[in-house]
Amino acid sequence: MKVSKLFLAFGVLFTTHATASDDIRTFVGDPLNGKKLYDKECAACHGKNGDGGRTSVSLTDSGRMNLIRDDQMFSMIQVGRGLKKPGDHSFTKKLKFLEIWDVIAHVREGHMTIGDFFPTASRYVSKTYEIDKFGLDRIKERAGVTLKDKKAAVFTFFTFEGEEGNLQYIPQDPIKLDHLSKDKKSGYLVFLPFEHAGFSGELGVAMDPDGQITKLLVHRGAKNADLLNKDLSRFEGMGKKNQAEPFKVGGGKKMDAVAKKVFPVFMRAMETVTMYDREENERTWADPN
């Protein structure tokens, strides 16, 4: 197997909560070789494009997949977690250490990553939240949408001086969470379903601590993604927590149509973030202002 020396030089991203071993290091693998290995060893179960296949678990679901860190994915592949007989997992017998990282690199290319949205953040927490009745009622009233799927993962980012860009996962540990003061918060990220003008996939909604949109993106590999992302960039700077009015960006009927599709997704993202805020407020109510 050919692996670029450059890839091997990028042994970075130590995490504070490794699944299998605290010594597991995240390598940047070779996605091209990873695709070959994936097509040979994984596609039969997970689908050629990672859309679920026989497993019904989509590897292109950015919200779900970003909840799984690279070190966790490595362990899942290595030991065959979730199978009745882990020892029979084809990866365990056939793939070598660096080949597993190549597969991970390929899988990551199939969905948006959190680094696309907060490249200078230092730490982040992640958890799935369910919108409560009050939030659902607000979405219905303001966006005219009745949600069936009430859950989504929220990724909340914090920036510390001297740690910019060295993103570190913080587990749901009270002591470690205590260091994440509100004044260090960079913003939130939620991945949600989005459809518009032939596009059917996901929209990454990034907001600052006040709910103002900092970035909207669809996967850059999607058809016509460049044009759609250009339109979506016009929403940056809009929005706020407790937003009630639909977006008005100008640009005629074309942008009106985009805004009509974006607003319900933003509302859902904002209400999901509200669930995080409630939990954070319960944890930090005694903190000094």
Side-chain angles (χ1 to χ4, degrees):
M1 183 189 68
K2 296 181 180 179
V3 180
S4 167
K5 292 182 179 179
L6 178 61
F7 289 132
L8 298 181
F10 280 116
V12 294
L13 265 177
F14 285 100
T15 65
T16 60
H17 183 65
T19 301
S21 168
D22 289 338
D23 294 329
I24 285 184
R25 176 180 297 190
T26 300
F27 284 88
V28 177
D30 179 353
L32 295 178
N33 187 58
K35 184 181 186 308
K36 296 176 184 178
L37 295 168
Y38 176 91
D39 289 344
K40 180 180 179 181
E41 305 291 349
C42 321
C45 288
H46 293 283
K48 183 178 180 179
N49 298 313
D51 54 4
R54 297 205 308 256
T55 69
S56 76
V57 176
S58 173
L59 302 182
T60 62
D61 182 340
S62 299
R64 178 184 181 276
M65 294 305 296
N66 278 290
L67 287 173
I68 305 171
R69 304 184 313 281
D70 286 352
D71 61 292
Q72 292 176 313
M73 193 184 300
F74 181 95
S75 296
M76 288 176 170
I77 295 172
Q78 187 181 50
V79 305
R81 179 187 295 178
L83 300 179
K84 293 182 178 179
K85 296 181 179 180
D88 293 336
H89 196 286
S90 60
F91 279 138
T92 307
K93 296 182 177 181
K94 297 181 180 180
L95 293 189
K96 299 177 182 178
F97 179 87
L98 291 178
E99 289 177 322
I100 295 177
W101 288 117
D102 291 347
V103 171
I104 292 172
H106 168 65
V107 169
R108 290 300 185 202
E109 286 195 332
H111 58 263
M112 291 179 280
T113 63
I114 58 179
D116 294 332
F117 296 85
F118 287 90
T120 62
S122 308
R123 308 177 194 179
Y124 78 99
V125 294
S126 57
K127 186 177 175 180
T128 298
Y129 293 88
E130 180 173 352
I131 302 173
D132 65 9
K133 179 183 183 303
F134 302 104
L136 295 173
D137 289 345
R138 285 190 290 268
I139 294 173
K140 174 65 175 178
E141 176 185 352
R142 299 172 184 179
V145 175
T146 300
L147 285 184
K148 293 183 180 179
D149 185 1
K150 309 169 188 177
K151 297 181 179 180
V154 175
F155 301 85
T156 308
F157 299 83
F158 301 81
T159 301
F160 289 76
E161 185 176 354
E163 299 179 16
E164 294 86 351
N166 186 22
L167 191 60
Q168 181 183 42
Y169 168 73
I170 304 299
Q172 296 292 318
D173 177 282
I175 296 177
K176 294 180 179 180
L177 290 175
D178 191 48
H179 294 287
L180 303 179
S181 57
K182 292 182 181 180
D183 64 318
K184 302 294 186 183
K185 189 186 299 180
S186 310
Y188 315 91
L189 172 62
V190 186
F191 297 100
L192 293 169
F194 179 67
E195 296 184 2
H196 174 68
F199 174 85
S200 180
E202 297 175 302
L203 180 63
V205 183
M207 298 172 277
D208 72 8
D210 295 320
Q212 185 177 103
I213 295 172
T214 57
K215 187 171 288 188
L216 293 180
L217 281 180
V218 299
H219 193 289
R220 292 186 176 90
K223 184 179 180 180
N224 297 323
D226 289 344
L227 293 175
L228 182 52
N229 281 332
K230 184 177 180 180
D231 290 340
L232 292 171
S233 69
R234 297 187 61 179
F235 292 87
E236 295 175 11
M238 295 185 176
K240 60 182 179 180
K241 289 182 176 177
N242 202 32
Q243 176 87 16
E245 304 80 18
F247 295 132
K248 296 180 181 180
V249 294
K253 293 183 179 180
K254 176 188 175 183
M255 288 307 302
D256 288 345
V258 179
K260 187 176 181 179
K261 293 297 183 69
V262 166
F263 183 64
V265 181
F266 171 78
M267 284 291 299
R268 181 179 171 185
M270 184 179 64
E271 292 295 348
T272 312
V273 163
T274 297
M275 298 297 99
Y276 166 84
D277 283 345
R278 177 184 298 175
E279 183 176 272
E280 181 184 62
N281 289 337
E282 291 175 353
R283 186 181 77 245
T284 62
W285 66 269
D287 291 355
N289 293 327

